[in-house]
Amino acid sequence: MSARDTILQRLFDGRTEALGETQAQVPASQFHVLAQVKMSLPARLQAFQQAMAKVEGEVIVLTRAQWPQKMAAWLADHTQAQRILVPPAHHVLGQALAPLWQGQWGHTWQVRTYDAPIETWQAELFNEVDLAITSTRAGIAQTGSLVLWPTPEEPRLMSLVPPIHVAILDSQRLYNTFYEVLQVEAWAQQGMPTNALLISGPSKTADIEQTLAYGVHGPKRLIVFVLVDEEMAEVCDAP
């Protein structure tokens, strides 16, 4: 037996002796408190907006029928971003955003997609993209968080590198708690991607003297457009 094996065996024997014949029992998890959190859609939206605002996130509610054009108009009025990264044309979000590069909405952006290995255009991504638009898997009202599942069409660098990240969230996928996301989305049964992302606000760090600072690395702004049905528009103050 090697010296390493001898040491590990002694550690194992000592643990076994300390436990005795009775093995430690892991208590059953209790999630009933989280399961009791049930809010209406307007209440979830309000909670989501308030939680996002606390971490410098911006939330805008738009109707599902007209959101692409109104989003484009808002971006033209509120940002200086001209170079935009979007999902490819065959992607559902890419199809909705096609008028961005076709000039149909009275404003022309320089639009490109993540259509090459990062090694071939890393410098462009880090230096020549002002804003990226991504879809989202879900939203969490209680914590003001977004869930993103990166794919080949929407790699994780889309939401982690450009100075401005615009996320599109369908209100039907805005859940009360993270626990509800896990349950309804059935993550345990359906599996997860290699890099699932939970995003709460723009980039931030407290590395320097434990003082929280925003925009130190990655996106300096996070803008979330939440899409609602027409009947919910007035209740949720959607334009």
Side-chain angles (χ1 to χ4, degrees), residues 49-218:
Q49 290 175 301
Q50 291 174 346
M52 268 285 180
K54 291 179 181 178
V55 291
E56 305 295 327
E58 304 169 55
V59 178
I60 297 129
V61 180
L62 297 177
T63 60
R64 189 173 283 106
Q66 297 181 322
W67 76 264
Q69 184 173 356
K70 290 192 175 183
M71 180 208 69
W74 191 95
L75 292 177
D77 291 339
H78 293 81
T79 75
Q80 299 299 315
Q82 296 297 315
R83 301 167 295 186
I84 298 181
L85 181 63
V86 300
H90 66 268
H91 189 279
V92 173
L93 182 56
Q95 294 175 9
L97 296 174
L100 278 178
W101 60 84
Q102 295 172 355
Q104 297 181 15
W105 293 331
H107 189 90
T108 302
W109 286 276
Q110 302 173 36
V111 179
R112 72 154 295 164
T113 59
Y114 199 126
D115 53 5
I118 183 60
E119 294 79 11
T120 65
W121 75 295
Q122 183 174 355
E124 180 182 352
L125 173 61
F126 278 80
N127 300 310
E128 300 179 18
V129 173
D130 302 318
L131 179 152
I133 304 175
T134 73
S135 61
T136 58
R137 176 78 179 193
I140 305 171
Q142 190 179 56
T143 58
S145 304
L146 296 173
V147 180
L148 272 65
W149 282 29
T151 65
E153 292 80 17
E154 293 183 290
R156 65 174 183 163
L157 290 181
M158 284 185 68
S159 61
L160 298 180
V161 173
I164 303 175
H165 175 204
V166 172
I168 310 301
L169 173 64
D170 193 307
S171 59
Q172 294 181 352
R173 303 187 76 90
L174 178 59
Y175 298 100
N176 292 282
T177 63
F178 184 42
Y179 174 73
E180 186 178 23
V181 173
L182 297 177
Q183 295 297 107
V184 177
E185 297 283 320
W187 285 14
Q189 294 76 30
Q190 297 182 12
M192 297 172 59
T194 304
N195 295 299
L197 302 177
L198 288 174
I199 297 176
S200 299
S203 65
K204 48 191 170 290
T205 183
D207 290 344
I208 302 175
E209 298 182 351
Q210 297 185 347
T211 300
L212 186 61
Y214 289 91
V216 176
H217 53 79

